[in-house]
Amino acid sequence: MASEVVLRRRRIQRIRRGAMYGIGIAVVVGFVLFADWETIRRNFFNTEIARDMLPEVLTVAARNTIIYTALAFALGLVLALVLALMKLSSIAPYRWFATSYIELFRGLPALITIILVGFGFGIAFDWKIPGGTLGKGSIGLGLVAGAYMAETIRAGIQAVPKGQMEAARSLGMSPSTAMTYIILPQAFRIIIPPLTNEMVLLIKDTSLLFVLGTTPASKELTKFARDFMAQNQNATPLTVVAIVYLIITLPLTYLVRRLERKTEAEKR
Amino acid sequence: MTAPPIEIKDLHKYFGELEVLRGISTTIQTGEVVCLLGPSGSGKSTLLRCVNLLEQPTSGTILIEGEDITDEDADVDGLRTRIGMVFQQFNLFPHLTVLRNLRIAQRKVLGRDTAEATRIAEEMLARVGLSDKVNEHPSRLSGGQQQRVAIARALCMNPDMMLFDEPTSALDPELIGEVLDVMRELADDGMTMLVVTHEMGFALQVADRVIFMDGGVIVEEGPPNEVLRNPQHERTKRFLRAIEIED
């Protein structure tokens, strides 16, 4: 009796699975049959337009995206380390400052911060941040990245067992010596995967820098693509920069996955 | 130096509302080995951790070689280099090799150069019988070996005294002996030692004095033969009976 019930249930499951495959195949076949392939090809995969983008899409646009990311990440990392240490400080005003900073910049759209840094200071103090788009853009993005990474670093420091600090202090190390040589090296090992994720987010956020206005030499990937689209009345540039973005970000996400697996293996 | 290594006067420690130490006074003489015994929660680990200020005493004074470490202006880091500490969980630095574990505080705290720090590290590693592990990472060592490295790391600072916080409690039974052997040799060499332990055999054979604590006070203290074989207080008797049943 019981086995008959099990058999029936299995048959129902098999039918249901078959139906799922059927629906999926029908959707794909329908799309292939009815899509206007010529229009899609001409507008998204136009090889002539793609060829026109070379080499500037790599030598200027991709290069700028990477430079903006690197500078913003470097600034963000330093800022984040200071904020994380302030947040863990025994001095209350330091903690308040760090918390306010982190909550403020995580709560605002990154675009607002970029506009504030790019134009707000100039209007308010009659003083411009030097370095053009590069200077304004990396500072704006770095201020935001610092807020996010500060929380990551703080969590990493707190993930180091308490006994490590106690052992270091028992050997006569000052708090800063213990932090520098014992706690932070261990914390950074823990947070390299999440920090790499932050970097991937940062790469994508460089596309916001178009608001600062760009010269031909300072365009990053997204702005470069938009200008090319406007010139040619064609969407192919988007496809091209999408591929370039993926070429930059996919290896990083792959690296994160490998690092995470390695950390997991070490824990066991 | 004429002042005793450790002198504790009327030490009180609160964790919030809870009074963990209720007036501890005792003096430990140069070369003396003292074992702190008592049930868990009796305050013995807290007492030990107060001696190198891992816990801040609420009131009372602790003199290390005559210097008041509870004074606000005390040079705590400097004092700690004179007090070796060994933890239950070893607390080796997992990102550093054994050699670097032994060298880092010598370099960054005592300012020794690399060559001298290496020489001393190798000497101390030989003393605990682990010369062949100099380039290993701690995670590749057994618990007993890790604890011996931790003892060597403390010895590298040339401490005048050593604190042991349940040094064998985290070890598999077959690894306890090697750590106790190292501690016994240290005691034979004349090191001043304050040891929180549940190893009654070690207390009997090695200690000059045992202190039995319960409820944050010293219930009874004296030579191990007297306190362990012929306890005067009911609480000590009960504790020792319970331990024997466990064994």
Side-chain angles (χ1 to χ4, degrees), chain A residues 1 27 49 69 73 76 85 93 99 102 110 128 143 172 180 189 198 221 235 253 264:
Chain A
M1 280 288 274
V27 168
I49 291 176
T69 308
F73 189 78
L85 292 174
T99 307
I102 291 166
K128 271 193 214 148
L143 290 177
T180 310
R189 233 169 251 208
E198 297 289 351
L221 281 167
T253 43
E264 277 303 307

Side-chain angles (χ1 to χ4, degrees), chain A residues 79 83 96-106 143-144 146-147:
Chain A
L79 197 60
L83 286 168
W96 299 334
F97 175 81
T99 307
S100 320
Y101 181 97
I102 291 166
E103 295 308 326
L104 177 67
F105 282 95
R106 288 204 308 182
L143 290 177
V144 180

